[in-house]
Structure formats: C-alpha cells, structure tokens
Amino acid sequence: THTHTHTQSTTTLHSDTITMGGDGGSIPTRIELVRVKKAPEKVSQEAKLAAKWQYCALTEAVLAQPIMGCELGRMYNKESVLNYLLTKDSAPPEHKAIIGHVRNLKDLKELNLTPNDRTDSSSSRDDNIRFICPVTGVAMNGRHGFVFFWTCGCVVSERAVREVKAGSCHKCGAAYKDSDVITICPAAEELAKLQEAMKERRRLAKLAKEKSKTDVAAGAAGAAGTASASTKDKKDDAKASDAKRRVDDSAPVSSAKTVKINPALGISISDVVNEEKKKSAVFQSLFMDKTKKEDSSKRGLAGFGQTFF
C-alpha cells in the first residue's frame, strides 16, 4: 500500500510540471499569440529643429533661393508665398494658421544668407549645413540661435549680436534698432514677443502713412494759397502802377523842378521859368495857328458853297 501511494504522488507531480499542447507540442505564450502594435519611431529633437531650418514653413519643401522671412521668424520659399497670396481666399486653414499674418510681399523680407563653402559629404554633419553665420562661422542647423534684421534682411547668429553690439548690420552695415531684430524659428515665449513687436511696427507704419498724407495735403493747400496770394499781389501792383501812371500823365510839368540851376553861370530860377514860358507860348501858337487855318478854311468852303448856289 505504501508503495502504491508513493507512485501515485510521483505521477501527479510529474503531470503538474510538464505542460503539453493539444497536438503534443509546446503551448505558445500570450505575447506570441497577440500581435502588439509597434511603438512609433521616436524623432530626435535635433532632427525636428534641423527640419525647421531646411524646409519651407508653408509647404515643407526644401528651402531654395530666394528665401523669404516673416515678422514671426518663419522662412518660406518665395514661390510658395506667391502661390498662397494669389489663392489665399481658398487656402486651407492650416496654411492660414501659418502665414495668415502676411498680407502682401511688404510683410516679408528677402533673407541675405551666407552659404557654407565647406559643404562636403565626407565631412562632419555641420559641414553639410547649407548656411552659416558670416561673423562667427557657426552652422545654421538649429542648435544655434540665428536672427535677421528687418531693415536689410541679413542673417547672423545670436552670438554675433550679443558679442558685437554695433547698432548696425554685421554684414552690410545698415543701421537697425532692437525692434528690427527677428529671431528665426523662435520658441513659444519668443514668438509671443515677436507678435507684439509686429503689431507695434504696423501701428507705427500706419501712423507714418497717415502723417505723410496729411503733410502732402497741407503742402498742396499751402502752395495753392501762395500762388493765389502771388497772383493777387501782382494784380494789386498792376493797379497801383496804372493809377500812378494816370496821375503822372495828368500832372502839369514843372520845368523848374527838373532843370538844374547853376549860379556860377548867372542863371536864376526866374530866367528858367521865363524861358519855359516862351517855349510854351511858341507851342501854343503853333496849335492856335493850325486851329485858325482850319476854321478859316471851313468858312471859305461854306462861303463858296453859298455863292455857287
């Protein structure tokens, strides 16, 4: 009896430890039976940053010259922007969310980028980057901050702006203000600052435009008023001159006032006046003789007419 019990116990233990499949093979585990969804491939943050610097923000096409920059620091292919502006009324919402703040080409600046002359497939990854900073030489690959100046469009690194505070462009020499410095591919906090700066820049531009229109209108009105006053002055001068001429013509001539008296020659004022009177009498006699001849001629003709009839 004891031997039978031991054999049964051993058989039970053996059956508990050995698992058999339905067909005599091994039983697969759950992970082998259930198809688990593969985890998405993780894209490195560095790759994401590099993509922003190499592709158009609107179409995600590779950036190609000419490259445009907006007031929010995004880069676009000029051709893509032109296509958007021509069809912006029917543009998809995702495009409007990216570039909706651009009203026309005046809201963009063509970027003056410095090519990387060290581009070589056998070199390091920085040597494969297309553009670099003209001052510090750092690669424009997303790991270094870059800016461009709204006044001229030149692109330099943030490090160059910090280290060389000249108040003028490090590449072309054009003057700029702090509000003209646009961060390329900004972070969320910097993007909010750029949005506020854009609003202020457009407000000031609007005021300057209105002031220019007012100045032009005022200048035109002033010119018209000056021309009118000048014309009036000319008319008044002409009237005064004409009145003076009439007064001079009607006034008697006083020879005594116009003749210079020379006491050394024994000529007195009375002599001059008497001489002038004689001349006047001669002239008057000429006219009087002519008048008398005309009257006598008329009387003679009248008498002849009476005798003839």
Side-chain angles (χ1 to χ4, degrees):
T1 305
H2 180 72
T3 304
H4 177 71
T5 304
H6 177 73
T7 304
Q8 186 178 5
S9 175
T10 303
T11 304
T12 304
L13 178 63
H14 182 71
S15 62
D16 290 341
T17 56
I18 300 175
T19 57
M20 301 292 290
D23 57 351
S26 62
I27 299 175
T29 61
R30 181 180 182 279
I31 195 170
E32 294 174 343
L33 293 174
V34 180
R35 184 172 294 176
V36 180
K37 185 178 179 181
K38 291 184 178 181
E41 295 182 4
K42 292 183 178 180
V43 181
S44 66
Q45 188 68 20
E46 186 175 337
K48 289 181 180 179
L49 288 173
K52 289 183 178 181
W53 297 82
Q54 298 177 19
Y55 297 96
C56 173
L58 183 61
T59 61
E60 297 183 355
V62 177
L63 287 171
Q65 298 281 16
I67 299 172
M68 312 299 289
C70 70
E71 293 171 283
L72 300 184
R74 295 169 185 152
M75 294 186 292
Y76 316 88
N77 288 328
K78 188 173 184 179
E79 183 179 358
S80 302
V81 175
L82 290 174
N83 290 335
Y84 165 78
L85 292 175
L86 291 173
T87 60
K88 63 181 179 180
D89 293 336
S90 58
E94 56 269 22
H95 284 185
K96 291 182 179 181
I98 295 171
I99 198 174
H101 60 286
V102 175
R103 302 163 297 182
N104 49 52
L105 286 179
K106 292 182 179 179
D107 292 336
L108 297 167
K109 187 69 64 175
E110 184 170 342
L111 300 182
N112 184 8
L113 295 154
T114 303
N116 183 9
D117 296 332
R118 297 176 299 176
T119 301
D120 185 359
S121 58
S122 62
S123 303
S124 65
R125 58 185 177 179
D126 281 352
D127 290 341
N128 294 326
I129 301 301
R130 297 167 58 197
F131 305 109
I132 60 172
C133 172
V135 181
T136 61
V138 297
M140 192 172 164
N141 55 8
R143 297 199 305 272
H144 308 282
F146 273 73
V147 300
F148 74 89
F149 304 114
W150 190 252
T151 50
C152 60
C154 292
V155 178
V156 298
S157 65
E158 288 182 346
R159 195 173 94 188
V161 176
R162 287 196 306 268
E163 294 180 357
V164 186
K165 296 182 178 180
S168 59
C169 175
H170 304 68
K171 188 172 183 179
C172 70
Y176 70 86
K177 298 176 292 187
D178 291 342
S179 58
D180 295 325
V181 181
I182 310 295
T183 302
I184 298 176
C185 300
E189 183 179 351
E190 184 65 26
L191 179 62
K193 293 180 181 179
L194 291 178
Q195 288 173 334
E196 292 300 321
M198 178 182 69
K199 292 177 182 178
E200 181 65 13
R201 187 181 298 108
R202 293 185 178 183
R203 185 185 71 83
L204 293 176
K206 184 178 180 181
L207 291 176
K209 187 175 181 181
E210 291 175 353
K211 184 178 183 301
S212 177
K213 288 182 178 179
T214 304
D215 292 344
V216 169
T226 303
S228 176
S230 177
T231 303
K232 184 177 182 300
D233 292 341
K234 289 180 180 179
K235 290 181 178 179
D236 292 344
D237 291 343
K239 289 180 180 178
S241 177
D242 187 55
K244 184 176 182 300
R245 186 169 54 254
R246 288 197 298 269
V247 170
D248 292 341
D249 291 343
S250 61
V253 179
S254 177
S255 301
K257 293 182 180 179
T258 58
V259 178
K260 295 181 179 180
I261 307 304
N262 191 346
L265 299 176
I267 300 174
S268 64
I269 295 177
S270 59
D271 294 335
V272 174
V273 171
N274 292 332
E275 185 65 25
E276 290 299 323
K277 285 182 179 180
K278 291 178 181 180
K279 290 181 181 179
S280 298
V282 172
F283 280 108
Q284 288 177 4
S285 64
L286 291 175
F287 285 105
M288 289 298 294
D289 293 342
K290 183 178 179 182
T291 304
K292 289 178 180 179
K293 289 179 181 179
E294 289 177 355
D295 291 342
S296 62
S297 176
K298 289 179 181 179
R299 286 195 298 271
L301 289 174
F304 175 78
Q306 293 174 0
T307 307
F308 180 78
F309 290 104

